[in-house]
Amino acid sequence: MRRVVSVALWAVVVSGVLAYATSLVVPLWFQMQGERLLVVTSGSMAPRFVEGDVVVLRAVTDASELKPGLIVTFQPVGGTSLVTHRIVSLHSLPAMREADDGSGRMVPVLDAAGEPVEQPYIRTQGDANPEPDPDATPVERVRGVLLRVHHGWGDTLVWATSPVGRAVMLVPPLLALATLEVLSVLDARRRRTRSARRPADADRRVDALLLD
């Protein structure tokens, strides 16, 4: 029984450590390839990919890489979340910035001569959306181009990187290691007790022989 318990506890330790290591190694492996994983949170690109899928992106190094038909991830002007949509057209428009008066309105960027500075923009649209996105996006806000899709990876990836997922992967192995240590201490104590009893038992047997 002691051996069965030890094997079961070591199985918990090994499985937990392997799961945790995998959750770290998989994103790191993609980063080493110059790629990035992004979990899809909407269905605007169905059926190409849907909520819960994971898209693999590569960074854009030059605006010339962008062409109509490519699927890109970008941060919309004035937004904080990332959007992954298809490029429908390319444009050269005046660069915009927020006004200095704190109103949040956008005003053109001017050069030294007071002329508007032209900047490349993309127009995008989700495959499942009937209309293009309302605003054009500066090329500099593009975060990556779609390489491939892993369907259904999203829930697992989000769970594995969450505090709950980390706890599920790490707490049982730690408890199993603690239990193994306690069992080891108890075994050592039991062996010492047996060793201490053996000389006394031997002395009693010798005394019994002498008396006989």
Side-chain angles (χ1 to χ4, degrees):
M1 179 61 69
R2 169 73 173 81
R3 180 171 298 179
V4 171
V5 172
S6 296
V7 170
L9 291 173
W10 276 113
V12 172
V13 172
V14 172
S15 60
V17 170
L18 285 177
Y20 181 70
T22 301
S23 72
L24 298 177
V25 169
V26 170
L28 181 61
W29 186 87
F30 281 96
Q31 291 177 14
M32 292 174 62
Q33 309 301 312
E35 300 170 355
R36 177 182 180 184
L37 298 179
L38 186 68
V39 179
V40 179
T41 58
S42 76
S44 63
M45 283 297 294
R48 182 69 176 85
F49 48 81
V50 297
E51 182 178 358
D53 291 342
V54 169
V55 295
V56 182
L57 309 171
R58 66 167 176 82
V60 176
T61 58
D62 192 274
S64 62
E65 300 177 40
L66 302 177
K67 297 176 175 59
L70 289 179
I71 298 175
V72 295
T73 295
F74 59 93
Q75 185 176 11
V77 176
T80 56
S81 59
L82 297 178
V83 177
T84 303
H85 281 174
R86 192 181 301 276
I87 298 176
V88 294
S89 59
L90 301 174
H91 304 273
S92 183
L93 301 171
M96 305 295 288
R97 63 175 180 82
E98 288 191 15
D100 297 331
D101 57 11
S103 63
R105 61 191 180 88
M106 305 300 292
V107 297
V109 176
L110 305 178
D111 60 17
E115 296 295 327
V117 176
E118 295 291 317
Q119 183 178 17
Y121 280 75
I122 59 172
R123 294 301 303 267
T124 54
Q125 180 177 351
D127 288 358
N129 294 342
E131 301 290 338
D133 298 331
D135 299 317
T137 301
V139 168
E140 64 185 22
R141 300 181 74 88
V142 174
R143 299 293 180 259
V145 175
L146 178 73
L147 289 179
R148 54 190 174 275
V149 179
H150 293 292
H151 299 289
W153 277 28
D155 292 339
T156 301
L157 188 61
V158 170
W159 178 84
T161 55
S162 69
V164 173
R166 297 293 196 209
V168 170
M169 288 185 286
L170 292 177
V171 172
L174 291 175
L175 292 176
L177 285 173
T179 303
L180 286 167
E181 183 63 23
V182 170
L183 293 176
S184 177
V185 170
L186 293 177
D187 283 348
R189 185 178 299 175
R190 193 177 297 113
R191 285 193 294 269
R192 286 197 299 270
T193 302
R194 289 175 181 173
S195 299
R197 287 176 179 173
R198 283 171 185 166
D201 292 341
D203 290 344
R204 283 195 293 271
R205 286 196 294 271
V206 170
D207 292 341
L209 291 172
L210 292 175
L211 290 173
D212 289 344

Short mmCIF file of all heavy atoms in Angstrom, two decimals, residues 43-82:
data_model
loop_
_atom_site.label_atom_id
_atom_site.label_comp_id
_atom_site.label_asym_id
_atom_site.label_seq_id
_atom_site.Cartn_x
_atom_site.Cartn_y
_atom_site.Cartn_z
N GLY A 43 -16.74 36.86 -33.02
CA GLY A 43 -16.99 36.08 -34.21
C GLY A 43 -17.01 36.90 -35.48
O GLY A 43 -17.59 36.48 -36.49
N SER A 44 -16.38 38.08 -35.47
CA SER A 44 -16.44 38.97 -36.64
C SER A 44 -15.70 38.43 -37.85
O SER A 44 -15.88 38.94 -38.96
CB SER A 44 -15.89 40.35 -36.27
OG SER A 44 -14.51 40.27 -35.92
N MET A 45 -14.85 37.40 -37.66
CA MET A 45 -14.12 36.82 -38.79
C MET A 45 -14.59 35.41 -39.12
O MET A 45 -13.91 34.68 -39.84
CB MET A 45 -12.62 36.82 -38.50
CG MET A 45 -11.95 38.17 -38.66
SD MET A 45 -12.02 38.80 -40.35
CE MET A 45 -11.00 37.61 -41.20
N ALA A 46 -15.76 35.02 -38.63
CA ALA A 46 -16.30 33.70 -38.96
C ALA A 46 -16.59 33.63 -40.47
O ALA A 46 -16.97 34.64 -41.08
CB ALA A 46 -17.58 33.46 -38.17
N PRO A 47 -16.40 32.49 -41.10
CA PRO A 47 -15.99 31.20 -40.50
C PRO A 47 -14.48 30.97 -40.47
O PRO A 47 -14.05 29.88 -40.10
CB PRO A 47 -16.66 30.19 -41.43
CG PRO A 47 -16.58 30.85 -42.77
CD PRO A 47 -16.78 32.33 -42.52
N ARG A 48 -13.68 31.97 -40.87
CA ARG A 48 -12.22 31.78 -40.89
C ARG A 48 -11.72 31.40 -39.51
O ARG A 48 -10.93 30.49 -39.36
CB ARG A 48 -11.55 33.06 -41.37
CG ARG A 48 -10.02 32.99 -41.48
CD ARG A 48 -9.60 32.07 -42.61
NE ARG A 48 -8.16 32.05 -42.79
CZ ARG A 48 -7.32 31.28 -42.12
NH1 ARG A 48 -7.79 30.45 -41.20
NH2 ARG A 48 -6.03 31.30 -42.35
N PHE A 49 -12.15 32.10 -38.50
CA PHE A 49 -11.90 31.72 -37.12
C PHE A 49 -12.97 32.38 -36.26
O PHE A 49 -13.58 33.38 -36.65
CB PHE A 49 -10.49 32.10 -36.63
CG PHE A 49 -10.08 33.51 -36.94
CD1 PHE A 49 -10.47 34.57 -36.14
CD2 PHE A 49 -9.26 33.79 -38.04
CE1 PHE A 49 -10.07 35.87 -36.42
CE2 PHE A 49 -8.86 35.08 -38.32
CZ PHE A 49 -9.26 36.13 -37.51
N VAL A 50 -13.22 31.79 -35.10
CA VAL A 50 -14.30 32.23 -34.23
C VAL A 50 -13.79 32.40 -32.81
O VAL A 50 -12.63 32.12 -32.51
CB VAL A 50 -15.47 31.22 -34.25
CG1 VAL A 50 -16.08 31.11 -35.64
CG2 VAL A 50 -15.01 29.84 -33.77
N GLU A 51 -14.67 32.86 -31.94
CA GLU A 51 -14.32 33.06 -30.54
C GLU A 51 -13.81 31.75 -29.93
O GLU A 51 -14.40 30.69 -30.11
CB GLU A 51 -15.55 33.54 -29.77
CG GLU A 51 -15.28 33.83 -28.30
CD GLU A 51 -16.51 34.36 -27.60
OE1 GLU A 51 -17.54 34.54 -28.26
OE2 GLU A 51 -16.43 34.61 -26.38
N GLY A 52 -12.70 31.84 -29.23
CA GLY A 52 -12.08 30.65 -28.63
C GLY A 52 -10.95 30.06 -29.43
O GLY A 52 -10.22 29.20 -28.93
N ASP A 53 -10.79 30.51 -30.68
CA ASP A 53 -9.64 30.07 -31.47
C ASP A 53 -8.41 30.92 -31.11
O ASP A 53 -8.52 31.96 -30.47
CB ASP A 53 -9.93 30.20 -32.97
CG ASP A 53 -10.97 29.21 -33.45
OD1 ASP A 53 -11.22 28.22 -32.75
OD2 ASP A 53 -11.55 29.44 -34.53
N VAL A 54 -7.25 30.46 -31.56
CA VAL A 54 -6.00 31.20 -31.36
C VAL A 54 -5.37 31.46 -32.72
O VAL A 54 -5.23 30.54 -33.53
CB VAL A 54 -5.02 30.42 -30.46
CG1 VAL A 54 -3.64 31.07 -30.47
CG2 VAL A 54 -5.54 30.35 -29.04
N VAL A 55 -5.02 32.73 -32.96
CA VAL A 55 -4.35 33.08 -34.21
C VAL A 55 -2.86 33.29 -33.95
O VAL A 55 -2.47 33.75 -32.88
CB VAL A 55 -4.96 34.34 -34.86
CG1 VAL A 55 -6.39 34.09 -35.28
CG2 VAL A 55 -4.91 35.53 -33.90
N VAL A 56 -2.05 32.91 -34.92
CA VAL A 56 -0.61 33.09 -34.83
C VAL A 56 -0.24 34.25 -35.75
O VAL A 56 -0.59 34.26 -36.93
CB VAL A 56 0.14 31.81 -35.26
CG1 VAL A 56 1.65 32.01 -35.13
CG2 VAL A 56 -0.32 30.62 -34.44
N LEU A 57 0.48 35.23 -35.19
CA LEU A 57 0.82 36.44 -35.92
C LEU A 57 2.33 36.57 -36.07
O LEU A 57 3.10 36.09 -35.23
CB LEU A 57 0.30 37.68 -35.19
CG LEU A 57 -1.17 37.68 -34.76
CD1 LEU A 57 -1.44 38.88 -33.86
CD2 LEU A 57 -2.07 37.70 -35.98
N ARG A 58 2.74 37.23 -37.14
CA ARG A 58 4.14 37.65 -37.27
C ARG A 58 4.15 39.17 -37.39
O ARG A 58 3.22 39.79 -37.94
CB ARG A 58 4.82 37.02 -38.48
CG ARG A 58 4.27 37.47 -39.82
CD ARG A 58 5.19 37.05 -40.97
NE ARG A 58 4.63 37.40 -42.27
CZ ARG A 58 4.71 38.61 -42.81
NH1 ARG A 58 5.34 39.58 -42.16
NH2 ARG A 58 4.18 38.86 -43.99
N ALA A 59 5.18 39.78 -36.85
CA ALA A 59 5.26 41.24 -36.84
C ALA A 59 5.46 41.78 -38.25
O ALA A 59 6.03 41.12 -39.12
CB ALA A 59 6.41 41.70 -35.93
N VAL A 60 4.99 43.01 -38.46
CA VAL A 60 5.16 43.71 -39.74
C VAL A 60 6.38 44.61 -39.63
O VAL A 60 6.48 45.43 -38.72
CB VAL A 60 3.92 44.54 -40.08
CG1 VAL A 60 4.13 45.33 -41.36
CG2 VAL A 60 2.70 43.64 -40.22
N THR A 61 7.33 44.44 -40.54
CA THR A 61 8.55 45.25 -40.50
C THR A 61 8.52 46.40 -41.49
O THR A 61 9.30 47.34 -41.37
CB THR A 61 9.78 44.36 -40.77
OG1 THR A 61 9.62 43.73 -42.05
CG2 THR A 61 9.91 43.29 -39.69
N ASP A 62 7.63 46.32 -42.48
CA ASP A 62 7.57 47.37 -43.49
C ASP A 62 6.14 47.48 -44.01
O ASP A 62 5.46 46.47 -44.19
CB ASP A 62 8.53 47.07 -44.64
CG ASP A 62 8.69 48.27 -45.56
OD1 ASP A 62 7.86 48.42 -46.48
OD2 ASP A 62 9.62 49.06 -45.35
N ALA A 63 5.70 48.71 -44.27
CA ALA A 63 4.33 48.94 -44.74
C ALA A 63 4.07 48.27 -46.08
O ALA A 63 2.93 47.95 -46.41
CB ALA A 63 4.06 50.44 -44.84
N SER A 64 5.12 48.03 -46.86
CA SER A 64 4.94 47.41 -48.18
C SER A 64 4.48 45.97 -48.08
O SER A 64 4.03 45.38 -49.06
CB SER A 64 6.25 47.49 -48.97
OG SER A 64 7.29 46.76 -48.32
N GLU A 65 4.59 45.36 -46.88
CA GLU A 65 4.13 43.99 -46.68
C GLU A 65 2.61 43.89 -46.67
O GLU A 65 2.05 42.80 -46.84
CB GLU A 65 4.69 43.42 -45.37
CG GLU A 65 6.21 43.38 -45.29
CD GLU A 65 6.67 42.89 -43.94
OE1 GLU A 65 6.04 41.95 -43.40
OE2 GLU A 65 7.64 43.44 -43.39
N LEU A 66 1.94 45.00 -46.43
CA LEU A 66 0.49 44.99 -46.28
C LEU A 66 -0.19 45.14 -47.63
O LEU A 66 0.13 46.04 -48.41
CB LEU A 66 0.05 46.12 -45.35
CG LEU A 66 0.66 46.08 -43.94
CD1 LEU A 66 0.21 47.28 -43.13
CD2 LEU A 66 0.31 44.77 -43.24
N LYS A 67 -1.14 44.25 -47.89
CA LYS A 67 -1.86 44.24 -49.16
C LYS A 67 -3.32 43.88 -48.90
O LYS A 67 -3.63 43.20 -47.92
CB LYS A 67 -1.25 43.22 -50.14
CG LYS A 67 0.19 43.53 -50.54
CD LYS A 67 0.76 42.43 -51.41
CE LYS A 67 2.15 42.79 -51.92
NZ LYS A 67 3.12 43.03 -50.83
N PRO A 68 -4.22 44.32 -49.75
CA PRO A 68 -5.63 43.92 -49.61
C PRO A 68 -5.76 42.39 -49.62
O PRO A 68 -5.10 41.70 -50.38
CB PRO A 68 -6.30 44.55 -50.83
CG PRO A 68 -5.44 45.73 -51.15
CD PRO A 68 -4.03 45.28 -50.85
N GLY A 69 -6.60 41.91 -48.75
CA GLY A 69 -6.81 40.47 -48.62
C GLY A 69 -6.11 39.86 -47.44
O GLY A 69 -6.51 38.80 -46.95
N LEU A 70 -5.03 40.50 -46.95
CA LEU A 70 -4.34 39.98 -45.77
C LEU A 70 -5.18 40.22 -44.52
O LEU A 70 -5.87 41.23 -44.40
CB LEU A 70 -2.98 40.65 -45.61
CG LEU A 70 -1.88 40.29 -46.61
CD1 LEU A 70 -0.62 41.08 -46.29
CD2 LEU A 70 -1.60 38.81 -46.59
N ILE A 71 -5.07 39.30 -43.58
CA ILE A 71 -5.72 39.46 -42.27
C ILE A 71 -4.66 39.97 -41.30
O ILE A 71 -3.59 39.38 -41.16
CB ILE A 71 -6.32 38.13 -41.79
CG1 ILE A 71 -7.39 37.65 -42.76
CG2 ILE A 71 -6.90 38.29 -40.39
CD1 ILE A 71 -7.95 36.28 -42.42
N VAL A 72 -4.97 41.08 -40.65
CA VAL A 72 -4.00 41.72 -39.75
C VAL A 72 -4.64 41.99 -38.39
O VAL A 72 -5.87 42.10 -38.27
CB VAL A 72 -3.48 43.05 -40.35
CG1 VAL A 72 -2.69 42.80 -41.61
CG2 VAL A 72 -4.62 44.02 -40.60
N THR A 73 -3.79 42.09 -37.40
CA THR A 73 -4.22 42.50 -36.06
C THR A 73 -3.72 43.92 -35.83
O THR A 73 -2.54 44.22 -36.07
CB THR A 73 -3.66 41.56 -34.99
OG1 THR A 73 -4.22 40.25 -35.17
CG2 THR A 73 -4.00 42.04 -33.59
N PHE A 74 -4.60 44.79 -35.37
CA PHE A 74 -4.24 46.19 -35.19
C PHE A 74 -4.95 46.77 -33.97
O PHE A 74 -5.91 46.18 -33.46
CB PHE A 74 -4.61 47.01 -36.44
CG PHE A 74 -6.08 46.95 -36.80
CD1 PHE A 74 -6.97 47.91 -36.34
CD2 PHE A 74 -6.57 45.92 -37.59
CE1 PHE A 74 -8.32 47.84 -36.65
CE2 PHE A 74 -7.92 45.85 -37.92
CZ PHE A 74 -8.80 46.81 -37.44
N GLN A 75 -4.44 47.90 -33.52
CA GLN A 75 -5.08 48.63 -32.43
C GLN A 75 -5.76 49.86 -33.01
O GLN A 75 -5.09 50.77 -33.48
CB GLN A 75 -4.05 49.04 -31.38
CG GLN A 75 -4.66 49.71 -30.16
CD GLN A 75 -3.61 50.03 -29.10
OE1 GLN A 75 -2.42 49.94 -29.35
NE2 GLN A 75 -4.06 50.41 -27.91
N PRO A 76 -7.07 49.89 -33.02
CA PRO A 76 -7.77 51.03 -33.61
C PRO A 76 -7.41 52.34 -32.92
O PRO A 76 -7.06 52.37 -31.74
CB PRO A 76 -9.26 50.69 -33.40
CG PRO A 76 -9.28 49.21 -33.16
CD PRO A 76 -8.00 48.88 -32.48
N VAL A 77 -7.50 53.41 -33.67
CA VAL A 77 -7.23 54.75 -33.09
C VAL A 77 -8.25 55.02 -31.99
O VAL A 77 -9.46 54.87 -32.19
CB VAL A 77 -7.33 55.83 -34.19
CG1 VAL A 77 -7.16 57.21 -33.58
CG2 VAL A 77 -6.29 55.58 -35.27
N GLY A 78 -7.75 55.40 -30.83
CA GLY A 78 -8.63 55.67 -29.71
C GLY A 78 -9.07 54.45 -28.94
O GLY A 78 -9.78 54.56 -27.95
N GLY A 79 -8.64 53.26 -29.39
CA GLY A 79 -9.01 52.03 -28.70
C GLY A 79 -7.86 51.42 -27.95
O GLY A 79 -6.69 51.74 -28.20
N THR A 80 -8.17 50.52 -27.02
CA THR A 80 -7.13 49.85 -26.23
C THR A 80 -7.03 48.37 -26.54
O THR A 80 -6.00 47.75 -26.27
CB THR A 80 -7.42 50.02 -24.73
OG1 THR A 80 -8.73 49.51 -24.43
CG2 THR A 80 -7.36 51.49 -24.32
N SER A 81 -8.08 47.78 -27.09
CA SER A 81 -8.06 46.35 -27.41
C SER A 81 -7.63 46.13 -28.85
O SER A 81 -7.70 47.04 -29.69
CB SER A 81 -9.44 45.73 -27.18
OG SER A 81 -10.41 46.38 -28.00
N LEU A 82 -7.16 44.94 -29.14
CA LEU A 82 -6.71 44.59 -30.49
C LEU A 82 -7.86 44.02 -31.32
O LEU A 82 -8.75 43.36 -30.78
CB LEU A 82 -5.57 43.58 -30.42
CG LEU A 82 -4.28 44.05 -29.74
CD1 LEU A 82 -3.26 42.92 -29.69
CD2 LEU A 82 -3.70 45.26 -30.45
#
